[in-house]
């Protein structure tokens, strides 16, 4: 992600996830977990790496809207 942003291609990135509670490798699907990994873990790591709020908003709000909000 950092390389793509450094190349001024942030308008091509869309961050989302489908990581949730279900793990097919675990009996019964595993232990339930919330769908908050992106906001609770991944985005703070990007912030710590120096990604600004405008870039994160672009990747999580503007770009998804442009791709799917029709």
């Amino acid at each position: 992600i950092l390389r793509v942003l450094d190349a001024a291609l942030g308008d091509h990135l869309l961050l989302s996830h489908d990581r949730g509670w279900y793990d097919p490798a675990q009996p019964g699907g595993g232990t339930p977990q919330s769908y908050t990994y992106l906001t609770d873990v991944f985005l703070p790591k990007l912030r710590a790496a120096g990604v600004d709020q405008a870039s994160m908003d672009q990747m999580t709000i503007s770009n998804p809207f442009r791709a799917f909000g029709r």
Side-chain angles (χ1 to χ4, degrees), residues 11-66:
D11 61 328
H12 290 68
L13 290 175
L14 186 155
L15 296 182
S16 66
H17 63 87
D18 60 359
R19 180 183 190 263
W21 68 270
Y22 185 75
D23 181 353
Q26 300 294 317
T31 304
Q33 296 180 25
S34 66
Y35 282 89
T36 60
Y37 179 83
L38 182 69
T39 55
D40 292 350
V41 178
F42 195 78
L43 293 179
K45 287 183 180 187
L46 286 180
R47 268 188 213 101
V51 176
D52 63 10
Q53 188 62 46
S55 295
M56 287 201 272
D57 288 348
Q58 181 180 38
M59 293 182 287
T60 60
I61 300 169
S62 303
N63 293 348
F65 181 80
R66 197 174 73 242

